[in-house]
Amino acid sequence: MAQAKQITPRAKDFSEWYGDVIAQAQLADYSPVRGCMVIRPHGYRIWELMQRALDDMFRATGHRNAYFPLFIPMSFLAKEAEHVEGFAKEVALVTHTRLRATGKEGAGAIEVDPSSELEEPLVVRPTSETIIYAMFAKWIQSYRDLPLLLNQWANVVRWELRTRLFLRTTEFLWQEGHTAHVDEADAEREARTILGIYRRFAEEWMAMPVITGVKTESEKFAGALRTYAIEALMQDNKALQAGTSHNLGQNFAKAFGVQYQTAAGGLEYVWNTSWGVSTRLIGGLIMTHSDDNGLVAPPKLAPVQVAIVPIWKSDDERRQVSGVGDQVKTDLEKTGLRVELDVRDSLKPGAKYFEWEALGVPVRLEIGPRDLASGQAVLARRTGGKTPTPLQGIVGAVTAALDEIQAALFAAARARSEKNSIRGATKAQFIEFMKGGGGFAYGGFCGNPSCEAEIKQQTNATIRVLPDPEFRSKEAPRTCMWCGAPSVTEAVWAQAY
RNA sequence: CGGGGUGUGGCGCAGUCCGGUAGCGCGCCUGGUUUGGGACCAGGAGGUCGCGGGUUCGAAUCCCGCCGCCCCGACCA
């Protein structure tokens, strides 16, 4: 009885568990390049499904896709003061364009050709505000050109010291939206619209509950007027910033001279927004739902939604169960479901169950001779439970099960998130809470950055957001949870990824 | 960038103290028997022991130097 590869239980070591789930589900692997990851087909499929859903939502709100270069002149980055400061420490630079042979053997066979040094180094984009607004300056002349609503799907590079698969890697994939508007109100509306899209995507597709709100000055995007974010609580009670939407004000417009002529003939700077979500979402998905048996994928984003495992002894039985399995697969696929039929002869059914479970498949259908005799299949849910299900109407039963699983995952995640949130705690309770595993702590905040810094220093907790009205406590806090001064706003603290 | 750990077939490890020319489990390949929750038997393939020096008749093992990776802390989607 050989025991297959194990997944470290969450309770033992969350971080190892996270890595094991990714390995077992074949989502990603470490690459030969430090800090970079290879996204494997099963993981990339999740990203593709995410892309499709988000892209549809962007399109439905009037955005169009474009593509801007990977390389940005170094001088561009310097044009917006806060922006440089934010990214200077983690940019990769291209300084040369040629290698040459040395005539030596092995690793020393080639070297940088010093004569190929660029006059101005190119930055590998850590984000694209600068190059995009440089182009906006060319394209925008009149108020009739506004709003300009663009999005791009791209890779970006940020030279991180410490990396974790999906959550923080040197190179990652994302979408970045960039828009230009006639006035602040329109830009604000846009930033808010996108935040709503991110929230809806997190909840309806990822089954991941989030709280929305605005970032404090110290946590906002480098160069933004305001940063909005969706924040989710992971199973280890650490918060994950899962998406951000920035009202950039006129900071970049002024830096890059993005001006337009008003109807009255005046000249004004545009108001910009930028917003993004990345492959980090996959990390969030993993840490929201998965268990000690591997990945749990919400049905809407599961690369494989249904795995059919036929069971047989004789060749005769094999033909029969495989035939029925194939028919069921075809029927399910007709409704647009993603289905795999597992007819491998080298594994016993039990081994296949474990494998599909590790891959996060929400529904498994087991079809054996005894099932066929009674005209049924066994429907097993990734979230637990097996139900004999008549083959007549199996498509309806499967779709219903998938819908239920999607809803149940969201409900369970929301319940967990709420259970690990506290409101109205005293300073002492807050410190205790953050020491003992943490979670979301709602409380009054005086607005003083030094108070914020002190809290971070002592508890490692940061203000994730100043929550939007619907997430705020029924009664507004009167005093700062930390210093006791009058509260100017409610805040949500957590230790964060 | 600081602290800790680790490098030996694809993966996980033993062997290192006490030098003698590499082994175990899983995985992989072939054949057979199996198949309702991780099958079994038999045969087989696969390793410059992280890299570079040195000591020695002989180095995975001892000495010197270097490198990679992972984990934990400050910055970040």
Side-chain angles (χ1 to χ4, degrees):
Chain A
M1 179 70 75
Q3 200 67 351
K5 278 158 282 184
Q6 290 293 329
I7 293 171
T8 307
R10 280 164 294 186
K12 190 176 167 226
D13 186 333
F14 193 82
S15 181
E16 272 199 42
W17 165 82
Y18 178 74
D20 288 349
V21 169
I22 289 171
Q24 291 298 303
Q26 298 169 27
L27 299 175
D29 204 348
Y30 294 97
S31 81
V33 182
R34 154 198 211 123
C36 294
M37 70 173 164
V38 175
I39 304 176
R40 302 181 67 183
H42 199 65
Y44 199 77
R45 187 76 184 111
I46 296 177
W47 181 237
E48 288 178 321
L49 291 163
M50 286 177 162
Q51 280 183 302
R52 190 191 298 173
L54 284 164
D55 205 59
D56 285 348
M57 291 193 250
F58 297 152
R59 213 174 292 272
T61 42
H63 302 85
R64 292 179 300 164
N65 286 331
Y67 186 79
F68 294 83
L70 172 67
F71 300 124
I72 299 175
M74 196 168 86
S75 57
F76 277 34
L77 218 59
K79 290 193 180 179
E80 209 291 324
E82 261 187 55
H83 193 66
V84 208
E85 180 143 355
F87 288 102
K89 291 164 295 186
E90 51 181 9
V91 292
L93 287 176
V94 178
T95 56
H96 292 76
T97 65
R98 274 196 307 275
L99 297 173
R100 64 182 185 188
T102 59
K104 292 183 200 148
E105 294 284 309
I110 46 171
E111 64 178 10
V112 172
D113 183 343
S115 73
S116 71
E117 184 168 2
L118 290 171
E119 223 166 275
E120 180 184 358
L122 295 169
V123 165
V124 180
R125 64 178 163 222
T127 179
S128 303
E129 275 75 9
T130 57
I131 194 148
I132 289 181
Y133 301 138
M135 295 309 294
F136 275 21
K138 286 175 72 173
W139 298 338
I140 296 169
Q141 273 105 44
S142 147
Y143 70 96
R144 296 186 211 273
D145 297 325
L146 298 173
L148 180 55
L149 309 174
L150 297 189
N151 176 62
Q152 86 165 338
W153 291 94
N155 59 336
V156 284
V157 168
R158 298 180 186 176
W159 216 260
E160 301 286 354
L161 300 178
R162 256 190 73 207
T163 58
R164 295 193 69 193
L165 292 176
F166 291 116
L167 299 177
R168 187 181 305 109
T169 49
T170 297
E171 180 189 8
F172 58 92
L173 306 182
W174 77 348
Q175 60 68 214
E176 49 180 322
H178 293 274
T179 67
H181 306 264
V182 291
D183 57 24
E184 177 167 18
D186 203 44
E188 185 66 12
R189 203 174 305 125
E190 167 75 5
R192 278 294 186 176
T193 298
I194 295 299
L195 189 73
I197 287 176
Y198 287 164
R199 178 186 174 184
R200 194 147 54 82
F201 175 75
E203 294 180 346
E204 293 178 11
W205 289 78
M206 298 177 67
M208 181 175 79
V210 293
I211 53 182
T212 63
V214 65
K215 290 282 181 181
T216 60
E217 201 55 24
S218 69
E219 296 277 335
K220 71 166 199 191
F221 175 73
L225 203 60
R226 271 187 295 283
T227 290
Y228 299 101
I230 58 170
E231 294 273 337
L233 197 63
M234 302 293 101
Q235 290 188 60
D236 61 348
N237 287 328
K238 284 172 78 174
L240 184 77
Q241 177 171 306
T244 48
S245 178
H246 318 290
N247 182 335
L248 299 175
Q250 294 178 306
N251 293 342
F252 287 93
K254 285 176 179 164
F256 289 90
V258 191
Q259 290 178 297
Y260 71 96
Q261 220 165 12
T262 64
L267 202 55
E268 299 277 357
Y269 287 104
V270 300
W271 295 74
N272 293 112
T273 79
S274 72
W275 28 275
V277 295
S278 71
T279 38
R280 174 179 251 204
L281 289 176
I282 297 173
L285 183 146
I286 296 165
M287 290 193 292
T288 297
H289 303 300
S290 301
D291 61 22
D292 291 347
N293 297 321
L295 180 68
V296 175
K300 284 188 178 179
L301 294 175
V304 177
Q305 295 167 304
V306 184
I308 304 172
V309 180
I311 299 154
W312 66 80
K313 283 189 168 59
S314 63
D315 280 354
D316 218 38
E317 286 174 346
R318 180 183 179 173
R319 264 190 300 280
Q320 280 183 37
V321 292
S322 300
V324 172
D326 202 46
Q327 185 57 52
V328 171
K329 177 177 192 259
T330 306
D331 291 345
L332 289 170
E333 282 176 337
K334 274 186 202 146
T335 71
L337 293 177
R338 300 181 284 275
V339 187
E340 292 291 338
L341 174 65
D342 191 346
V343 292
R344 287 175 296 176
D345 200 14
S346 54
L347 294 179
K348 294 181 71 174
K352 295 179 182 178
Y353 301 166
F354 280 100
E355 201 174 297
W356 290 113
E357 278 166 13
L359 288 167
V361 178
V363 164
R364 180 178 70 240
L365 291 176
E366 307 167 8
I367 307 178
R370 290 208 296 274
D371 294 313
L372 286 196
S374 44
Q376 64 171 39
V378 173
L379 190 160
R381 297 170 185 232
R382 180 63 180 80
T383 46
K386 289 193 187 191
T387 327
T389 306
L391 287 170
Q392 283 288 339
I394 190 110
V395 173
V398 168
T399 29
L402 289 169
D403 289 346
E404 283 165 30
I405 292 167
Q406 182 81 30
L409 286 175
F410 181 60
R414 188 163 53 185
R416 173 176 55 72
S417 179
E418 277 166 15
K419 193 174 123 251
N420 292 295
S421 299
I422 56 167
R423 289 176 191 265
T426 63
K427 180 175 176 178
Q429 287 169 331
F430 178 89
I431 293 172
E432 204 50 41
F433 181 68
M434 288 305 167
K435 250 191 218 151
F440 281 139
Y442 294 70
F445 177 51
C446 61
N448 192 336
S450 69
C451 216
E452 194 181 352
E454 198 176 294
I455 293 168
K456 180 175 183 184
Q457 212 248 318
Q458 287 189 35
T459 66
N460 205 24
T462 50
I463 295 178
R464 302 320 303 155
V465 284
L466 308 176
D468 286 332
E470 57 184 300
F471 295 98
R472 285 179 206 156
S473 303
K474 287 188 195 82
E475 216 167 303
R478 300 237 170 85
T479 58
C480 176
M481 171 281 296
W482 193 258
C483 70
S487 168
V488 298
T489 173
E490 186 167 20
V492 181
W493 281 270
Q495 288 150 355
Y497 272 98

